[in-house]
Amino acid sequence: MDGIWIFAERQEQTLELLNPGRSLADMMGVKLAAFAADGGLAPEYIAHGADEVFVLPPLLPGQPLESYVAVLADEARKRTPGVFLIGATPRGKEIAARLAARLNTGLCSGCTGLHLRDGSNVLEMERLMFGGKAVQKVLCSARPQMATVLPGTFEPAVCLPDRKGVVVEVHSASSSEVRIVSRSARHREGADVTEAKIIVCVGRGVESEEHMERVRELARVVGGEIACTRPIAEECQWLPEEVYLGISGKRVKPDLYIGLGVSGQIQHVAGIRESKVIFAVNRDENAPIFDAADYGIVGDMCRVVPLLIDELGRLLKV
C-alpha cells in the first residue's frame, strides 16, 4: 500500500482534502500524496501537508479534465494506494466513478466524515442520508478505499512553510478520445453563495416578487448574499437555480444564515446545517425551520423585515 492519495478539480479543494488526508496518513503511518495539474502548485501542497506531489502531464488541446481518468488509473495500478480521496464537484464525482470502475473497487460518494475503524487501517466513511436525518457509515474491503468529499466539509490544511516533500513527474501514454468542441460562459448573477459569510435566504413565505426589494435591502445592510429555497428558483424563477440551497442544491456554512419565510423542510436544512448561526423569520410558529434555528421571530415577514432593516442599519451604521 502506497499511502493516501488526493485529487481535486481546484486548488482550494485540494487544500481542504489535505486536512483529513494528513490526519489519516499520520494515524496509518503512511505517506500523503496529492495530484497537481500545474507543477507550480507542488510547493504549496507540500507546505499544507503532502509528502509527495504527483505532477500530471499537460492535457492536449481540447482534452477535458476527465481525460486524467486513464492516467490516474495507470498510476494507481503501479503504486497501489490504500485510500483515494476526490473532491465531490459534479466533474470530480464523474471522475471518481469512472476511476473506481477501472480499479474494480468501491466508492462512497458525498462524504462528510472520514475515520479509521477501531485503530485499524480500515476507512470508515460517513455521509448524510434521508435529507440529513441520518448518517450512513460505509466500509470498503477492496483497495483503494475511495471516497468523494463535499467541498467545504473541511477547513484548508494548516500551512507549514518549512515542510519538505518530493515532487514526481507523472508520465503516461494513456489518452482520451474525448475532445471539447466548444465552450460557452455561464452567466452568474451575484457572488458564489458557497463563499458568503452572511446569507439571506427566501422561501415560499415571501408571497410576491415585489417583496424581494426589501430582501435585497436587508442583504445590503448586513453585507450578505441572497439565496433561496428550491421552489423560489425552479417554480417562481425569482432567483437563478445556482443560488438555491438544499440537498440537491448548494450546501453552505456561513457565519450567519437568515431565513425569511423558509419552512425548513429537511431537504433545505441539509444544505444549511453547517451554518454557525441560523436565524429564521416565519409566521408559522410550528414551522420546522425553528427546530434548526438558533434564533427566530414568529411574525409576518412584511412587517418584520423593515424593522430588521431599520434596527440593523442603525446598529451597523449603514
Side-chain angles (χ1 to χ4, degrees):
M1 183 181 70
D2 195 23
I4 297 174
W5 285 10
I6 288 171
F7 176 83
E9 183 178 352
R10 293 190 288 273
Q11 174 185 357
E12 61 270 22
Q13 294 159 3
T14 300
L15 296 181
E16 291 175 8
L17 292 179
L18 284 170
N19 185 347
R22 183 69 264 164
S23 297
L24 292 171
D26 289 341
M27 288 186 285
M28 296 169 69
V30 297
K31 292 181 179 179
L32 173 63
F35 284 90
D38 179 2
L41 296 174
E44 182 176 8
Y45 291 168
I46 290 172
H48 283 82
D51 299 305
E52 296 178 314
V53 175
F54 298 137
V55 179
L56 294 165
L59 294 173
L60 297 175
Q63 281 192 314
L65 191 69
E66 289 83 349
S67 299
Y68 280 135
V69 169
V71 180
L72 296 173
D74 284 349
E75 290 302 307
R77 294 188 189 102
K78 293 175 188 175
R79 303 174 187 268
T80 62
V83 175
F84 206 146
L85 306 179
I86 297 178
T89 58
R91 176 172 282 179
K93 288 187 285 188
E94 180 182 344
I95 289 173
R98 291 169 59 183
L99 184 58
R102 290 192 180 216
L103 298 177
N104 194 30
T105 189
L107 171 66
C108 184
S109 184
C111 291
T112 57
L114 302 166
H115 312 280
L116 291 184
R117 192 174 183 99
D118 302 327
S120 67
N121 283 357
V122 177
L123 186 64
E124 184 176 86
M125 300 163 277
E126 296 180 353
R127 61 182 175 185
L128 299 179
M129 301 291 290
F130 308 116
K133 285 291 187 181
V135 176
Q136 181 187 39
K137 296 184 178 181
V138 180
L139 303 177
C140 179
S141 58
R143 296 294 186 273
Q145 302 168 92
M146 290 189 63
T148 63
V149 181
L150 293 168
T153 299
F154 298 97
E155 294 295 325
V158 175
C159 180
L160 300 173
D162 295 331
R163 287 195 84 256
K164 304 297 182 183
V166 177
V167 178
V168 179
E169 296 283 344
V170 175
H171 301 283
S172 175
S174 297
S175 62
S176 172
E177 297 299 322
V178 177
R179 294 292 184 271
I180 298 173
V181 177
S182 64
R183 296 178 185 267
S184 58
R186 181 176 181 179
H187 177 67
R188 171 174 293 185
E189 298 181 21
D192 184 355
V193 292
T194 61
E195 301 294 329
K197 296 299 182 183
I198 299 176
I199 290 177
V200 178
C201 183
V202 295
R204 284 185 180 272
V206 179
E207 298 175 349
S208 168
E209 191 172 6
E210 296 174 358
H211 296 154
M212 289 298 296
E213 282 306 313
R214 283 292 190 179
V215 174
R216 292 187 177 93
E217 178 64 12
L218 177 59
R220 185 190 68 81
V221 168
V222 299
E225 297 295 333
I226 296 177
C228 64
T229 58
R230 185 171 183 171
I232 296 298
E234 293 192 345
E235 297 174 19
C236 300
Q237 298 184 352
W238 295 347
L239 291 169
E241 292 186 6
E242 63 198 38
V243 300
Y244 86 70
L245 312 180
I247 196 168
S248 60
K250 296 291 179 68
R251 297 173 186 244
V252 296
K253 51 177 184 179
D255 294 337
L256 173 63
Y257 164 95
I258 301 174
L260 304 176
V262 175
S263 63
Q265 298 301 315
I266 59 174
Q267 292 88 347
H268 178 73
V269 172
I272 67 168
R273 61 188 300 155
E274 298 299 322
S275 303
K276 292 182 180 178
V277 176
I278 296 177
F279 169 61
V281 178
N282 198 298
R283 69 176 63 182
D284 180 7
E285 64 181 34
N286 296 314
I289 191 65
F290 290 124
D291 293 332
D294 300 288
Y295 303 96
I297 294 178
V298 177
D300 188 338
M301 196 207 79
C302 294
R303 296 183 59 189
V304 174
V305 170
L307 296 175
L308 288 173
I309 292 172
D310 292 342
E311 187 64 18
L312 291 174
R314 183 183 64 81
L315 293 172
L316 298 173
K317 298 180 180 180
V318 177

